């Protein structure tokens, strides 16, 4: 999940402080104590120890400890609130000696605020997660469209079509339809979160037809698909960037690509292999962390997979061919 920025945390704490201060001021005003110094000091202490310190400490601890389990997060969140409320109780007793709270009072006062603020925290992070995924998908689609409309790509495609217009007009017509289908698919999936693997493979084949026509015998592709996986839902444009990356970085010909899609229990496993130079040792040592902030073609795909539930991606080199191997596991969700 995306982390909450310092600016977002400050705005949230400022909003909670304003609400707390407004409620407290109205209560003081009704009691005729709105201008009393002790009351103002007590209000400031409440804002700091009931909201600012517990929430800031909880978020810092969750990030620092790398906790992703909701139960442990909530337990830590409540612990920070209990400590903050406990300190507030001692401070309030110093301001108003007649006011005292035992641990059970603090416990039950902290519970609703801890649970309520934690729910808001999780809801906002989920919202950010969704927004980030949409932006990444849009970025991937825009990159794909940019690639399709890139002058070099168009030159190669049109050059391929030109070569077939006179020698094989039927072939040229089919390639024109394939190119149109790829571009149409990019636009049609603009507002779609997932598509079936079958749909993804259909468009992938049309893109591969263009690449085959351009590269001829220099491109060999072996596709092995488990029929049980065809209805599994996956994000659009998940496979093409990886295959395109293999073709782009090929150093020997013919380029040999292998795509496998298998059912592994409740998961979909996708394995893509090539006979290229493989991943550098620095990438294999740090795995996906080395690609997230680089310009490599895999970066967007890796970031998208990282945002999906029960999904992961593993990079390696084939021990025999030394080529790159991309192993993806996704949650098997059927339409």
């Amino acid at each position: 999940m995306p982390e909450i920025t310092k600016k977002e945390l400050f705005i949230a704490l400022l909003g909670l402080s304003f609400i707390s201060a407004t409620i407290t001021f109205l209560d003081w005003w009704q009691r005729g104590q709105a201008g009393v110094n002790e009351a103002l000091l007590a209000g400031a202490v409440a804002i700091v120890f009931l909201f600012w310190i517990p929430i800031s400490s909880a978020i810092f601890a969750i990030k620092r400890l790398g906790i992703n389990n909701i139960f442990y997060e909530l337990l830590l969140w409540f612990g920070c609130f209990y400590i903050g409320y406990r300190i507030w109780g001692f401070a309030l007793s110093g301001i108003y000696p007649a006011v005292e709270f035992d641990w059970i009072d603090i416990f039950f006062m902290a519970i609703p605020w801890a649970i309520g603020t934690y729910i808001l925290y999780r809801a906002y992070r989920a919202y950010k997660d969704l927004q980030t995924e949409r932006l990444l998908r849009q970025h991937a689609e825009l990159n794909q469209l940019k690639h399709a409309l890139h002058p070099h790509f168009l030159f190669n495609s049109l050059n391929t079509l030109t070569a077939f217009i006179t020698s094989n007009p039927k072939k040229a017509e089919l390639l024109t339809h394939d190119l149109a289908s790829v571009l149409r698919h990019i636009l049609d999936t603009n507002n779609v979160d997932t598509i079936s693997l079958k749909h993804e493979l259909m468009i992938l084949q049309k893109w591969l037809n263009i690449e085959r026509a351009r590269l001829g015998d220099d491109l060999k592709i072996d596709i092995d698909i488990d029929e049980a996986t065809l209805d599994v839902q996956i994000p659009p444009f998940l496979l093409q960037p990886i295959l395109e990356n293999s073709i782009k970085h090929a150093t020997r010909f013919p380029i040999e690509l292998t795509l496998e899609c298998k059912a592994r229990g409740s998961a979909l496993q996708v394995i893509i292999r090539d006979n290229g130079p493989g991943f550098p040792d620095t990438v294999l040592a740090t795995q996906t962390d080395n690609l997230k902030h680089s310009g490599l073609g895999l970066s967007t795909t890796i970031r998208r997979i990282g945002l999906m539930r029960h999904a992961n991606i593993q990079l390696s080199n084939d021990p025999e061919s030394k080529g790159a191997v991309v192993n993806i596991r996704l949650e098997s969700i059927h339409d």
Side-chain angles (χ1 to χ4, degrees), residues 2 24 71 121 128 157 216 246 264 272 296:
T24 304
F71 174 79
Y121 165 77
K128 286 192 66 177
S157 299
S246 294
R264 295 287 185 262
I272 298 175
L296 295 178

Short mmCIF file of all heavy atoms in Angstrom, two decimals, residues 2 24 71 121 128 157 216 246 264 272 296:
data_model
loop_
_atom_site.label_atom_id
_atom_site.label_comp_id
_atom_site.label_asym_id
_atom_site.label_seq_id
_atom_site.Cartn_x
_atom_site.Cartn_y
_atom_site.Cartn_z
N PRO A 2 0.44 2.33 -0.69
CA PRO A 2 1.21 3.56 -0.68
C PRO A 2 1.25 4.17 0.72
O PRO A 2 0.28 4.09 1.48
CB PRO A 2 0.42 4.46 -1.65
CG PRO A 2 -0.39 3.54 -2.47
CD PRO A 2 -0.71 2.38 -1.59
N THR A 24 -14.32 21.31 22.16
CA THR A 24 -13.87 21.71 23.50
C THR A 24 -14.21 23.16 23.80
O THR A 24 -14.65 23.50 24.91
CB THR A 24 -12.34 21.51 23.61
OG1 THR A 24 -12.03 20.15 23.32
CG2 THR A 24 -11.86 21.83 25.02
N PHE A 71 -4.36 -6.97 12.07
CA PHE A 71 -4.50 -7.19 13.51
C PHE A 71 -3.34 -6.56 14.29
O PHE A 71 -3.55 -5.85 15.28
CB PHE A 71 -4.57 -8.69 13.80
CG PHE A 71 -4.57 -9.02 15.27
CD1 PHE A 71 -5.74 -8.89 16.01
CD2 PHE A 71 -3.41 -9.45 15.91
CE1 PHE A 71 -5.75 -9.19 17.37
CE2 PHE A 71 -3.42 -9.75 17.27
CZ PHE A 71 -4.59 -9.61 18.00
N TYR A 121 -7.63 5.74 8.68
CA TYR A 121 -6.28 5.55 8.15
C TYR A 121 -6.26 4.47 7.08
O TYR A 121 -5.71 4.66 5.98
CB TYR A 121 -5.34 5.21 9.31
CG TYR A 121 -4.01 4.64 8.92
CD1 TYR A 121 -3.00 5.45 8.43
CD2 TYR A 121 -3.73 3.28 9.06
CE1 TYR A 121 -1.76 4.93 8.08
CE2 TYR A 121 -2.50 2.75 8.72
CZ TYR A 121 -1.51 3.59 8.22
OH TYR A 121 -0.29 3.08 7.88
N LYS A 128 -5.80 5.62 -1.70
CA LYS A 128 -4.56 5.95 -2.38
C LYS A 128 -4.07 4.79 -3.23
O LYS A 128 -3.52 4.98 -4.33
CB LYS A 128 -3.48 6.33 -1.36
CG LYS A 128 -3.64 7.69 -0.73
CD LYS A 128 -2.39 8.09 0.03
CE LYS A 128 -1.21 8.30 -0.90
NZ LYS A 128 0.01 8.75 -0.20
N SER A 157 6.46 -0.77 -39.17
CA SER A 157 5.19 -1.40 -39.53
C SER A 157 4.79 -1.06 -40.96
O SER A 157 4.40 -1.92 -41.75
CB SER A 157 4.09 -0.95 -38.56
OG SER A 157 4.40 -1.33 -37.24
N GLY A 216 10.62 -11.73 -39.38
CA GLY A 216 10.69 -12.96 -40.15
C GLY A 216 11.19 -14.14 -39.32
O GLY A 216 10.75 -14.37 -38.20
N SER A 246 12.05 -8.12 -24.16
CA SER A 246 12.96 -9.19 -24.60
C SER A 246 13.41 -8.98 -26.04
O SER A 246 14.58 -9.18 -26.39
CB SER A 246 12.26 -10.55 -24.47
OG SER A 246 12.01 -10.87 -23.12
N ARG A 264 -1.87 -23.01 -10.93
CA ARG A 264 -1.14 -23.55 -9.79
C ARG A 264 -2.01 -23.38 -8.55
O ARG A 264 -1.90 -22.41 -7.82
CB ARG A 264 0.19 -22.82 -9.61
CG ARG A 264 1.18 -23.03 -10.76
CD ARG A 264 1.76 -24.44 -10.73
NE ARG A 264 2.79 -24.63 -11.77
CZ ARG A 264 2.59 -25.19 -12.93
NH1 ARG A 264 1.35 -25.61 -13.25
NH2 ARG A 264 3.57 -25.33 -13.80
N ILE A 272 7.79 -16.23 -18.62
CA ILE A 272 8.27 -15.74 -19.92
C ILE A 272 9.78 -15.90 -19.95
O ILE A 272 10.49 -15.41 -19.06
CB ILE A 272 7.88 -14.27 -20.13
CG1 ILE A 272 6.34 -14.13 -20.15
CG2 ILE A 272 8.47 -13.75 -21.43
CD1 ILE A 272 5.85 -12.71 -20.25
N LEU A 296 13.88 0.92 -17.33
CA LEU A 296 13.68 -0.34 -18.02
C LEU A 296 12.21 -0.59 -18.31
O LEU A 296 11.33 -0.12 -17.59
CB LEU A 296 14.25 -1.49 -17.18
CG LEU A 296 15.77 -1.47 -16.97
CD1 LEU A 296 16.18 -2.63 -16.08
CD2 LEU A 296 16.52 -1.53 -18.29
#
